[in-house]
Amino acid sequence: MTNKEKINRNIGLTFDFVKFLIDNPEKAENLPNDFELEFIEKDFKVDAELIGKRKKLVKVRNSFEMIG
Amino acid sequence: MPKSQLNFEVGINLNYFSYEKNYLLHLRMPIKEFLKYLDNNRLERLRIRLKLEKGEIIELVYQYESFINDKWNAIVRYDTAHGFFHRDVIYPNGDQEKYSIEMDSLKVAASFAEQDIKDRWEFYKNRYIKKLKK
């Protein structure tokens, strides 16, 4: 994947995530006030160390799953 | 390579977010803000802010930022504040070109912003850099 393709993919995923929050505002209420969004693949094993203080991990499936 | 920084670290153009955020916090409006780095080198990012009221998202702001000349610069912003959707194209001297866009829902506005950023982020960035050199 080229850099440009990666950027476009991340833009798409980010807006998909925002649309998910629009449809599920209760999920938005539970988010931290400031954080960095990180998408992980659906088969990715989540290590406890990866769940950072200001990072929000989101698994990319057909829908989004809040991890930490 | 810039480090991940969630605070409003540099750049006059980022101040809009800082001022408005402080104002909203003063009003005790629940707001959530996050960054998504777009590339491997962490030189391009989106900043998203959601404003919540009574369990609903009522406003959204999207801002594309690029790391140029050792600082983060806001390049283009899409804002649904006060019930109307608009795009601000931002220039290095602080000038902004404002475009109002008719949208009937937050989701339609999100789709518009998404497509515009996908299609034109490089164009906006290159134009910003050209203006920086003048």
Side-chain angles (χ1 to χ4, degrees), chain B residues 109-127:
Chain B
S111 294
F112 178 92
E114 174 185 2
Q115 200 57 51
D116 196 52
I117 293 175
K118 275 183 177 172
D119 292 344
R120 306 184 76 189
W121 67 268
E122 254 183 323
F123 167 78
Y124 291 133
K125 178 182 174 180
N126 290 336
R127 191 166 63 173

PDB file of all heavy atoms in Angstrom, chain B residues 109-127:
ATOM      1  N   ALA B 109     -23.095  15.764   6.068  1.00  0.00           N
ATOM      2  CA  ALA B 109     -21.955  16.684   6.179  1.00  0.00           C
ATOM      3  C   ALA B 109     -20.648  15.897   6.328  1.00  0.00           C
ATOM      4  O   ALA B 109     -19.630  16.242   5.725  1.00  0.00           O
ATOM      5  CB  ALA B 109     -22.148  17.615   7.377  1.00  0.00           C
ATOM      6  N   ALA B 110     -20.701  14.804   7.100  1.00  0.00           N
ATOM      7  CA  ALA B 110     -19.503  13.972   7.274  1.00  0.00           C
ATOM      8  C   ALA B 110     -19.073  13.372   5.937  1.00  0.00           C
ATOM      9  O   ALA B 110     -17.875  13.341   5.612  1.00  0.00           O
ATOM     10  CB  ALA B 110     -19.782  12.863   8.292  1.00  0.00           C
ATOM     11  N   SER B 111     -20.026  12.917   5.172  1.00  0.00           N
ATOM     12  CA  SER B 111     -19.695  12.320   3.864  1.00  0.00           C
ATOM     13  C   SER B 111     -19.085  13.360   2.939  1.00  0.00           C
ATOM     14  O   SER B 111     -18.143  13.075   2.191  1.00  0.00           O
ATOM     15  CB  SER B 111     -20.951  11.732   3.211  1.00  0.00           C
ATOM     16  OG  SER B 111     -21.413  10.652   3.969  1.00  0.00           O
ATOM     17  N   PHE B 112     -19.625  14.584   2.993  1.00  0.00           N
ATOM     18  CA  PHE B 112     -19.076  15.647   2.158  1.00  0.00           C
ATOM     19  C   PHE B 112     -17.628  15.942   2.556  1.00  0.00           C
ATOM     20  O   PHE B 112     -16.728  16.013   1.714  1.00  0.00           O
ATOM     21  CB  PHE B 112     -19.917  16.919   2.281  1.00  0.00           C
ATOM     22  CG  PHE B 112     -19.361  18.055   1.467  1.00  0.00           C
ATOM     23  CD1 PHE B 112     -19.778  18.271   0.161  1.00  0.00           C
ATOM     24  CD2 PHE B 112     -18.388  18.907   1.994  1.00  0.00           C
ATOM     25  CE1 PHE B 112     -19.238  19.298  -0.599  1.00  0.00           C
ATOM     26  CE2 PHE B 112     -17.836  19.929   1.239  1.00  0.00           C
ATOM     27  CZ  PHE B 112     -18.266  20.129  -0.056  1.00  0.00           C
ATOM     28  N   ALA B 113     -17.404  16.107   3.863  1.00  0.00           N
ATOM     29  CA  ALA B 113     -16.053  16.428   4.342  1.00  0.00           C
ATOM     30  C   ALA B 113     -15.084  15.300   3.991  1.00  0.00           C
ATOM     31  O   ALA B 113     -13.955  15.542   3.550  1.00  0.00           O
ATOM     32  CB  ALA B 113     -16.084  16.671   5.847  1.00  0.00           C
ATOM     33  N   GLU B 114     -15.539  14.078   4.176  1.00  0.00           N
ATOM     34  CA  GLU B 114     -14.687  12.917   3.868  1.00  0.00           C
ATOM     35  C   GLU B 114     -14.245  12.942   2.403  1.00  0.00           C
ATOM     36  O   GLU B 114     -13.058  12.814   2.096  1.00  0.00           O
ATOM     37  CB  GLU B 114     -15.465  11.622   4.146  1.00  0.00           C
ATOM     38  CG  GLU B 114     -14.703  10.370   3.718  1.00  0.00           C
ATOM     39  CD  GLU B 114     -15.531   9.097   3.888  1.00  0.00           C
ATOM     40  OE1 GLU B 114     -16.706   9.180   4.305  1.00  0.00           O
ATOM     41  OE2 GLU B 114     -14.993   8.021   3.585  1.00  0.00           O
ATOM     42  N   GLN B 115     -15.208  13.120   1.524  1.00  0.00           N
ATOM     43  CA  GLN B 115     -14.868  13.079   0.093  1.00  0.00           C
ATOM     44  C   GLN B 115     -13.980  14.247  -0.293  1.00  0.00           C
ATOM     45  O   GLN B 115     -13.038  14.095  -1.083  1.00  0.00           O
ATOM     46  CB  GLN B 115     -16.168  13.076  -0.736  1.00  0.00           C
ATOM     47  CG  GLN B 115     -15.962  12.555  -2.150  1.00  0.00           C
ATOM     48  CD  GLN B 115     -15.376  11.143  -2.177  1.00  0.00           C
ATOM     49  OE1 GLN B 115     -15.873  10.239  -1.525  1.00  0.00           O
ATOM     50  NE2 GLN B 115     -14.285  10.955  -2.896  1.00  0.00           N
ATOM     51  N   ASP B 116     -14.279  15.404   0.275  1.00  0.00           N
ATOM     52  CA  ASP B 116     -13.479  16.592  -0.067  1.00  0.00           C
ATOM     53  C   ASP B 116     -12.033  16.422   0.412  1.00  0.00           C
ATOM     54  O   ASP B 116     -11.089  16.756  -0.313  1.00  0.00           O
ATOM     55  CB  ASP B 116     -14.107  17.836   0.566  1.00  0.00           C
ATOM     56  CG  ASP B 116     -13.573  19.116  -0.054  1.00  0.00           C
ATOM     57  OD1 ASP B 116     -13.610  19.241  -1.295  1.00  0.00           O
ATOM     58  OD2 ASP B 116     -13.087  19.990   0.692  1.00  0.00           O
ATOM     59  N   ILE B 117     -11.858  15.902   1.619  1.00  0.00           N
ATOM     60  CA  ILE B 117     -10.495  15.700   2.129  1.00  0.00           C
ATOM     61  C   ILE B 117      -9.771  14.640   1.298  1.00  0.00           C
ATOM     62  O   ILE B 117      -8.605  14.813   0.926  1.00  0.00           O
ATOM     63  CB  ILE B 117     -10.512  15.307   3.625  1.00  0.00           C
ATOM     64  CG1 ILE B 117     -11.016  16.478   4.470  1.00  0.00           C
ATOM     65  CG2 ILE B 117      -9.112  14.930   4.102  1.00  0.00           C
ATOM     66  CD1 ILE B 117     -11.194  16.162   5.936  1.00  0.00           C
ATOM     67  N   LYS B 118     -10.465  13.542   0.988  1.00  0.00           N
ATOM     68  CA  LYS B 118      -9.831  12.485   0.178  1.00  0.00           C
ATOM     69  C   LYS B 118      -9.380  13.033  -1.177  1.00  0.00           C
ATOM     70  O   LYS B 118      -8.282  12.752  -1.644  1.00  0.00           O
ATOM     71  CB  LYS B 118     -10.819  11.344  -0.061  1.00  0.00           C
ATOM     72  CG  LYS B 118     -10.881  10.327   1.035  1.00  0.00           C
ATOM     73  CD  LYS B 118     -11.847   9.221   0.634  1.00  0.00           C
ATOM     74  CE  LYS B 118     -11.888   8.127   1.682  1.00  0.00           C
ATOM     75  NZ  LYS B 118     -12.955   7.155   1.397  1.00  0.00           N
ATOM     76  N   ASP B 119     -10.249  13.811  -1.789  1.00  0.00           N
ATOM     77  CA  ASP B 119      -9.965  14.300  -3.146  1.00  0.00           C
ATOM     78  C   ASP B 119      -8.934  15.421  -3.159  1.00  0.00           C
ATOM     79  O   ASP B 119      -8.201  15.570  -4.131  1.00  0.00           O
ATOM     80  CB  ASP B 119     -11.258  14.824  -3.802  1.00  0.00           C
ATOM     81  CG  ASP B 119     -12.256  13.725  -4.085  1.00  0.00           C
ATOM     82  OD1 ASP B 119     -11.847  12.541  -4.053  1.00  0.00           O
ATOM     83  OD2 ASP B 119     -13.442  14.035  -4.309  1.00  0.00           O
ATOM     84  N   ARG B 120      -8.896  16.229  -2.090  1.00  0.00           N
ATOM     85  CA  ARG B 120      -8.178  17.504  -2.219  1.00  0.00           C
ATOM     86  C   ARG B 120      -7.147  17.808  -1.148  1.00  0.00           C
ATOM     87  O   ARG B 120      -6.597  18.897  -1.120  1.00  0.00           O
ATOM     88  CB  ARG B 120      -9.225  18.641  -2.260  1.00  0.00           C
ATOM     89  CG  ARG B 120     -10.273  18.430  -3.342  1.00  0.00           C
ATOM     90  CD  ARG B 120     -11.233  19.574  -3.436  1.00  0.00           C
ATOM     91  NE  ARG B 120     -10.642  20.711  -4.107  1.00  0.00           N
ATOM     92  CZ  ARG B 120     -11.187  21.914  -4.186  1.00  0.00           C
ATOM     93  NH1 ARG B 120     -12.348  22.136  -3.617  1.00  0.00           N
ATOM     94  NH2 ARG B 120     -10.590  22.903  -4.816  1.00  0.00           N
ATOM     95  N   TRP B 121      -6.871  16.857  -0.246  1.00  0.00           N
ATOM     96  CA  TRP B 121      -5.947  17.204   0.842  1.00  0.00           C
ATOM     97  C   TRP B 121      -4.583  17.625   0.308  1.00  0.00           C
ATOM     98  O   TRP B 121      -3.971  18.572   0.820  1.00  0.00           O
ATOM     99  CB  TRP B 121      -5.822  16.054   1.861  1.00  0.00           C
ATOM    100  CG  TRP B 121      -5.156  14.803   1.354  1.00  0.00           C
ATOM    101  CD1 TRP B 121      -5.787  13.725   0.790  1.00  0.00           C
ATOM    102  CD2 TRP B 121      -3.754  14.502   1.348  1.00  0.00           C
ATOM    103  NE1 TRP B 121      -4.852  12.783   0.440  1.00  0.00           N
ATOM    104  CE2 TRP B 121      -3.603  13.222   0.774  1.00  0.00           C
ATOM    105  CE3 TRP B 121      -2.616  15.175   1.779  1.00  0.00           C
ATOM    106  CZ2 TRP B 121      -2.362  12.610   0.602  1.00  0.00           C
ATOM    107  CZ3 TRP B 121      -1.369  14.567   1.619  1.00  0.00           C
ATOM    108  CH2 TRP B 121      -1.250  13.301   1.037  1.00  0.00           C
ATOM    109  N   GLU B 122      -4.131  16.966  -0.753  1.00  0.00           N
ATOM    110  CA  GLU B 122      -2.814  17.313  -1.311  1.00  0.00           C
ATOM    111  C   GLU B 122      -2.846  18.678  -1.981  1.00  0.00           C
ATOM    112  O   GLU B 122      -1.895  19.453  -1.883  1.00  0.00           O
ATOM    113  CB  GLU B 122      -2.403  16.255  -2.338  1.00  0.00           C
ATOM    114  CG  GLU B 122      -1.325  15.343  -1.835  1.00  0.00           C
ATOM    115  CD  GLU B 122      -0.869  14.354  -2.879  1.00  0.00           C
ATOM    116  OE1 GLU B 122      -1.718  13.864  -3.655  1.00  0.00           O
ATOM    117  OE2 GLU B 122       0.345  14.090  -2.910  1.00  0.00           O
ATOM    118  N   PHE B 123      -3.942  18.947  -2.654  1.00  0.00           N
ATOM    119  CA  PHE B 123      -4.105  20.239  -3.307  1.00  0.00           C
ATOM    120  C   PHE B 123      -4.088  21.365  -2.265  1.00  0.00           C
ATOM    121  O   PHE B 123      -3.373  22.367  -2.410  1.00  0.00           O
ATOM    122  CB  PHE B 123      -5.415  20.255  -4.100  1.00  0.00           C
ATOM    123  CG  PHE B 123      -5.842  21.620  -4.548  1.00  0.00           C
ATOM    124  CD1 PHE B 123      -5.237  22.224  -5.649  1.00  0.00           C
ATOM    125  CD2 PHE B 123      -6.840  22.324  -3.869  1.00  0.00           C
ATOM    126  CE1 PHE B 123      -5.622  23.498  -6.051  1.00  0.00           C
ATOM    127  CE2 PHE B 123      -7.227  23.591  -4.277  1.00  0.00           C
ATOM    128  CZ  PHE B 123      -6.617  24.181  -5.368  1.00  0.00           C
ATOM    129  N   TYR B 124      -4.868  21.198  -1.202  1.00  0.00           N
ATOM    130  CA  TYR B 124      -4.907  22.217  -0.151  1.00  0.00           C
ATOM    131  C   TYR B 124      -3.520  22.401   0.474  1.00  0.00           C
ATOM    132  O   TYR B 124      -3.074  23.523   0.728  1.00  0.00           O
ATOM    133  CB  TYR B 124      -5.893  21.833   0.948  1.00  0.00           C
ATOM    134  CG  TYR B 124      -7.360  21.863   0.557  1.00  0.00           C
ATOM    135  CD1 TYR B 124      -8.206  20.807   0.870  1.00  0.00           C
ATOM    136  CD2 TYR B 124      -7.908  22.961  -0.105  1.00  0.00           C
ATOM    137  CE1 TYR B 124      -9.555  20.828   0.542  1.00  0.00           C
ATOM    138  CE2 TYR B 124      -9.250  22.991  -0.442  1.00  0.00           C
ATOM    139  CZ  TYR B 124     -10.068  21.920  -0.122  1.00  0.00           C
ATOM    140  OH  TYR B 124     -11.401  21.955  -0.450  1.00  0.00           O
ATOM    141  N   LYS B 125      -2.845  21.285   0.703  1.00  0.00           N
ATOM    142  CA  LYS B 125      -1.523  21.351   1.341  1.00  0.00           C
ATOM    143  C   LYS B 125      -0.519  22.063   0.429  1.00  0.00           C
ATOM    144  O   LYS B 125       0.234  22.942   0.874  1.00  0.00           O
ATOM    145  CB  LYS B 125      -1.044  19.928   1.661  1.00  0.00           C
ATOM    146  CG  LYS B 125       0.328  19.883   2.286  1.00  0.00           C
ATOM    147  CD  LYS B 125       0.769  18.456   2.532  1.00  0.00           C
ATOM    148  CE  LYS B 125       2.201  18.417   3.011  1.00  0.00           C
ATOM    149  NZ  LYS B 125       2.658  17.042   3.271  1.00  0.00           N
ATOM    150  N   ASN B 126      -0.506  21.667  -0.851  1.00  0.00           N
ATOM    151  CA  ASN B 126       0.456  22.274  -1.780  1.00  0.00           C
ATOM    152  C   ASN B 126       0.219  23.776  -1.930  1.00  0.00           C
ATOM    153  O   ASN B 126       1.160  24.568  -2.024  1.00  0.00           O
ATOM    154  CB  ASN B 126       0.386  21.585  -3.144  1.00  0.00           C
ATOM    155  CG  ASN B 126       0.955  20.175  -3.069  1.00  0.00           C
ATOM    156  OD1 ASN B 126       1.764  19.872  -2.186  1.00  0.00           O
ATOM    157  ND2 ASN B 126       0.535  19.312  -3.970  1.00  0.00           N
ATOM    158  N   ARG B 127      -1.053  24.147  -1.945  1.00  0.00           N
ATOM    159  CA  ARG B 127      -1.363  25.571  -2.061  1.00  0.00           C
ATOM    160  C   ARG B 127      -0.911  26.315  -0.800  1.00  0.00           C
ATOM    161  O   ARG B 127      -0.386  27.426  -0.869  1.00  0.00           O
ATOM    162  CB  ARG B 127      -2.869  25.759  -2.285  1.00  0.00           C
ATOM    163  CG  ARG B 127      -3.228  27.188  -2.676  1.00  0.00           C
ATOM    164  CD  ARG B 127      -4.614  27.301  -3.211  1.00  0.00           C
ATOM    165  NE  ARG B 127      -5.605  26.948  -2.204  1.00  0.00           N
ATOM    166  CZ  ARG B 127      -6.920  27.084  -2.375  1.00  0.00           C
ATOM    167  NH1 ARG B 127      -7.389  27.556  -3.518  1.00  0.00           N
ATOM    168  NH2 ARG B 127      -7.755  26.760  -1.431  1.00  0.00           N
TER     169      ARG B 127
END
